[in-house]
Amino acid sequence: MAAEKMKSKPKQDVRSVMVSEGGYDFDFVQSPPDDLLCNICQLPARDATLSVCCGHSFCKCCMDCYLLSNTMDCSSCLYCRKENFQSFPDKKTTRLVLNLQVFCPNKSQGCSWVGELRSVEDHLDKNSTASNIGCLFTEICCSNECGVVIQRRLLEDHLKLECELRQVKCEYCDSTGSYQWINGSHQQECLKYPMECPNHCEVGHVRREEMSVHLEECPLAIVKCPFAVVGCDIVVRREERMGHMKEAVEKHVECNKEAIVELERSKTTLKEQLSAKEQELTTVKNALQKAIDDKERELDRVRNSIDAIEDKLKAKDQELAVVKVTTENLKKSIDDKEKELRKNSEDSKCELEINMKQLKEMFEQELMKLREEVKVTKQQLQHQVEINEQLQQDLQSYDIPKLLPHLIGTGNQLIPFVIKLTEFEKRKSRQESWHSPPFYTSKQGYKMHLMVKPDGLTGNSSHVSVGLFLMKGEHDDQLTWPVKGVLSIQLLNQIGDHNHGELVKYKFDECNKACQRLVHSQSYGLSENIITHKKLYTFNGKWQYLKNDCIFFRVTNFQ
């Protein structure tokens, strides 16, 4: 009992010290053997370390935490408590741990990848050479740096349809930019953007660059009377201005008379003001002439000062000549020094070439080592490809009918998916139509549903007919109308994964009413006879489409 207590106590303390450190915490295909588990964290050992005294394996990080712990006697073995504890890397255990088969960490998101533990990092890496593009279910940042974090498999649709920073073209001009900018500030400035006339005239919408010209001609614009300058304060619409001028002729004549009288008064006042200004101008002219005479005398004094400065400059020129001779002597001395330095540089160049030759030889040796490592890596990749091919063969042998209940859609599904029709005989006897749950052609695509008539298009027919109808969807405003494309539907064989019903293709033609956007609840559909009753009821060991009064339809794709 005492020995058990001594073993259990250190493990509990180390876990508290390690926090998030430890072995590989993955979802393994099979439970790892006990001899590969770390005796501290009880997970498959990461960078395994082997104890010399007892032969137990530990994670390197767990062992480092144990050795750094201040709460335990680190000089003794963690497991057997033997003194003078020693350990060394356990490469065999590390290799066996990395050979363990694990599921992808994104399994809960839908990834079905299974592989060796050593391949997980390559599988998750978006630039991996082993999987080309990495795990499709790994969350990555949008490459346009819009701030959105999204699964790699959804990135392409995001960049085309959702990203606020995707590049689009303005529908009114040739400007190109981000979706956020085009639908924001650009539309507030776009010269081709159609604007409604503020006067609500019959022209309707006018380009922003043409609005100022339009307002000068708009018949509904409010303008002043042409005689506003003489006192008419009436404002009318431009189209009513001529009528106003005809009706207010007498008023305009009276305004002109008053304006003429006022002009005469202004003329007399201006003459008096002009006379006063002329007297003021004469006074200013005399004062200005006196100021000019004073400035000329001051200018003479400045000229005398300039002559004195020129004499001083001549003396400075003589001093500069002496400095020039001294400079030439210094330049000659510098040239001699430069020649000496160039000679020393040539000697250094020879020494450098010798060093470069030695470095080249070292580089070639390292290159040979890298080539050997690449050769080993290629062999490992070839082994992984053989394992993947074996997995594909195993998947082809799975029983499709057993998987059908897990594939059936419940409404608002995305293509591809499977639809189940129950109580077939009851619906056929009543000549009753059955409507499937709605589904979308893509994440932001067209919304549709199937209408199945067990007794054919006209009743008492020899076929089962399937109609395809459009529905009002959440993304109709962002889609192109009418619908263009082909949607494929297939009747599934409930015995195995072969001999399915023929693929029926519904072609959406822009001339067909069934391809138009729904405005009211009424809609038109595309209908086809998908299989005969004779083949539906046939059971010959190869196919059986009707089983337990149920049939299955698979909506495969929309192109």
Side-chain angles (χ1 to χ4, degrees):
M1 292 295 291
E4 293 178 357
K5 291 181 179 179
M6 291 178 65
K7 293 181 181 179
S8 61
K9 184 176 180 180
K11 293 184 181 180
Q12 185 176 2
D13 293 340
V14 170
R15 281 185 175 274
S16 64
V17 173
M18 286 170 53
V19 189
S20 60
E21 298 290 343
Y24 293 101
D25 188 9
F26 285 92
D27 186 4
F28 291 89
V29 177
Q30 295 180 354
S31 298
D34 293 341
D35 57 347
L36 300 183
L37 301 182
C38 171
N39 282 274
I40 297 177
C41 64
Q42 295 301 311
L43 295 172
R46 186 191 300 267
D47 298 328
T49 299
L50 186 66
S51 173
V52 175
C53 55
C54 60
H56 286 88
S57 296
F58 306 93
C59 295
K60 185 179 184 301
C61 54
C62 295
M63 180 61 67
D64 291 342
C65 289
Y66 165 68
L67 296 176
L68 292 174
S69 174
N70 295 323
T71 60
M72 294 171 289
D73 183 9
C74 301
S75 63
S76 60
C77 177
L78 176 65
Y79 193 84
C80 68
R81 311 305 296 174
K82 185 177 180 180
E83 297 295 334
N84 299 323
F85 168 69
Q86 293 182 355
S87 63
F88 62 90
D90 188 358
K91 294 184 179 181
K92 179 180 179 180
T93 300
T94 300
R95 183 173 64 256
L96 293 176
V97 169
L98 293 178
N99 288 339
L100 294 175
Q101 296 288 315
V102 296
F103 293 101
C104 176
N106 295 322
K107 177 184 177 183
S108 60
Q109 303 296 326
C111 183
S112 60
W113 180 86
V114 176
E116 292 183 350
L117 181 57
R118 60 167 49 87
S119 304
V120 172
E121 184 176 355
D122 288 340
H123 170 66
L124 297 177
D125 187 0
K126 67 179 180 181
N127 296 320
S128 172
T129 58
S131 57
N132 294 329
I133 60 173
C135 180
L136 297 177
F137 296 85
T138 299
E139 292 188 344
I140 59 175
C141 295
C142 173
S143 57
N144 288 337
E145 298 182 357
C146 69
V148 173
V149 178
I150 192 172
Q151 290 183 354
R152 184 178 285 114
R153 64 190 181 90
L154 305 176
L155 179 61
E156 183 176 357
D157 290 341
H158 169 75
L159 292 175
K160 291 181 179 179
L161 305 174
E162 299 175 354
C163 183
E164 292 291 328
L165 299 183
R166 67 183 185 273
Q167 293 295 307
V168 296
K169 185 177 180 181
C170 177
E171 59 179 316
Y172 306 109
C173 67
D174 295 331
S175 297
T176 302
S178 67
Y179 176 84
Q180 186 181 58
W181 176 73
I182 289 293
N183 290 273
S185 59
H186 173 70
Q187 287 195 357
Q188 303 297 325
E189 302 173 355
C190 181
L191 298 179
K192 306 293 183 181
Y193 186 79
M195 301 177 63
E196 185 178 3
C197 175
N199 300 319
H200 305 290
C201 66
E202 61 183 3
V203 174
H205 289 77
V206 182
R207 291 180 175 179
R208 182 178 278 115
E209 62 183 357
E210 300 173 354
M211 182 59 72
S212 59
V213 177
H214 168 72
L215 292 177
E216 294 178 358
E217 302 174 352
C218 182
L220 299 183
I222 303 298
V223 297
K224 294 182 179 180
C225 174
F227 291 91
V229 295
V230 295
C232 182
D233 56 356
I234 301 298
V235 292
V236 296
R237 296 186 183 277
R238 183 175 277 112
E239 62 183 2
E240 300 173 354
R241 185 167 59 177
M242 294 303 298
H244 163 70
M245 293 176 64
K246 291 179 181 179
E247 295 174 355
V249 173
E250 295 181 358
K251 180 179 179 180
H252 293 162
V253 171
E254 187 65 26
C255 289
N256 283 331
K257 289 181 179 179
E258 294 178 357
I260 292 171
V261 172
E262 185 63 28
L263 285 174
E264 289 295 333
R265 292 175 186 167
S266 301
K267 183 178 179 181
T268 302
T269 302
L270 289 173
K271 285 182 178 180
E272 295 174 353
Q273 293 177 352
L274 181 61
S275 178
K277 290 292 182 182
E278 287 178 349
Q279 294 177 359
E280 183 179 352
L281 183 61
T282 301
T283 303
V284 172
K285 183 178 180 181
N286 294 332
L288 184 60
Q289 184 62 42
K290 182 180 178 182
I292 291 173
D293 294 340
D294 294 339
K295 289 294 182 182
E296 286 181 350
R297 287 192 292 271
E298 184 178 356
L299 184 60
D300 290 337
R301 290 194 296 270
V302 172
R303 285 171 181 165
N304 295 331
S305 300
I306 291 174
D307 291 340
I309 292 172
E310 287 179 350
D311 294 338
K312 292 181 180 180
L313 287 175
K314 289 180 181 178
K316 291 292 182 183
D317 287 340
Q318 294 176 357
E319 293 178 2
L320 286 174
V322 175
V323 172
K324 183 177 180 181
V325 173
T326 305
T327 303
E328 289 178 352
N329 294 332
L330 288 173
K331 184 177 179 181
K332 183 178 179 181
S333 176
I334 290 172
D335 291 337
D336 295 337
K337 290 290 184 182
E338 184 178 358
K339 291 179 181 179
E340 183 179 356
L341 290 173
R342 188 177 292 110
K343 182 179 179 181
N344 295 334
S345 176
E346 290 177 356
D347 295 335
S348 300
K349 183 178 180 181
C350 294
E351 183 178 358
L352 180 62
E353 289 177 352
I354 295 173
N355 293 335
M356 287 295 294
K357 185 176 180 180
Q358 294 175 352
L359 288 174
K360 183 177 180 181
E361 293 175 355
M362 293 174 61
F363 175 78
E364 290 177 350
Q365 292 176 0
E366 291 297 326
L367 184 62
M368 291 294 294
K369 293 180 181 179
L370 287 175
R371 286 175 176 171
E372 290 296 328
E373 293 177 0
V374 169
K375 183 177 179 180
V376 174
T377 303
K378 286 183 177 179
Q379 293 175 355
Q380 293 175 350
L381 290 176
Q382 182 63 33
H383 178 65
Q384 184 63 37
V385 169
E386 294 174 358
I387 293 175
N388 290 340
E389 291 177 353
Q390 183 61 38
L391 288 174
Q392 291 293 334
Q393 295 176 2
D394 294 340
L395 287 173
Q396 292 177 359
S397 64
Y398 289 168
D399 191 355
I400 296 301
K402 292 182 180 179
L403 296 177
L404 282 176
H406 303 287
L407 301 176
I408 297 173
T410 58
N412 291 336
Q413 299 290 318
L414 297 179
I415 295 175
F417 75 108
V418 176
I419 302 175
K420 179 181 180 181
L421 185 152
T422 59
E423 299 180 345
F424 179 82
E425 293 294 346
K426 180 180 178 181
R427 300 180 194 278
K428 177 184 175 185
S429 61
R430 295 181 178 180
Q431 296 185 352
E432 177 180 282
S433 299
W434 175 80
H435 297 266
S436 74
F439 59 87
Y440 283 90
T441 58
S442 63
K443 185 176 181 181
Q444 293 191 357
Y446 301 96
K447 188 176 183 180
M448 304 179 181
H449 77 279
L450 302 181
M451 184 182 74
V452 181
K453 291 187 176 182
D455 209 32
L457 293 173
T458 58
N460 296 322
S461 176
S462 60
H463 289 75
V464 176
S465 67
V466 178
L468 182 62
F469 290 81
L470 286 170
M471 300 178 69
K472 289 183 178 180
E474 298 178 0
H475 315 292
D476 288 356
D477 294 337
Q478 304 173 9
L479 298 173
T480 303
W481 299 94
V483 184
K484 292 182 180 180
V486 177
L487 187 137
S488 303
I489 298 176
Q490 192 174 37
L491 190 63
L492 297 184
N493 179 13
Q494 298 191 48
I495 293 179
D497 56 352
H498 302 287
N499 300 317
H500 293 306
E502 294 183 0
L503 197 67
V504 179
K505 297 185 177 181
Y506 295 81
K507 184 177 181 181
F508 287 90
D509 187 354
E510 59 182 359
C511 299
N512 197 314
K513 293 182 178 179
C515 306
Q516 306 297 324
R517 180 180 178 180
L518 293 184
V519 179
H520 305 291
S521 59
Q522 184 179 3
S523 63
Y524 300 90
L526 304 174
S527 298
E528 295 285 345
N529 288 327
I530 195 168
I531 193 171
T532 63
H533 288 160
K534 180 178 180 181
K535 188 172 183 179
L536 182 66
Y537 286 100
T538 300
F539 173 60
N540 61 358
K542 294 184 179 180
W543 72 75
Q544 184 177 6
Y545 297 108
L546 178 62
K547 184 177 181 181
N548 297 328
D549 205 22
C550 299
I551 58 177
F552 293 88
F553 298 93
R554 177 166 58 196
V555 183
T556 59
N557 56 30
F558 178 75
Q559 298 179 345

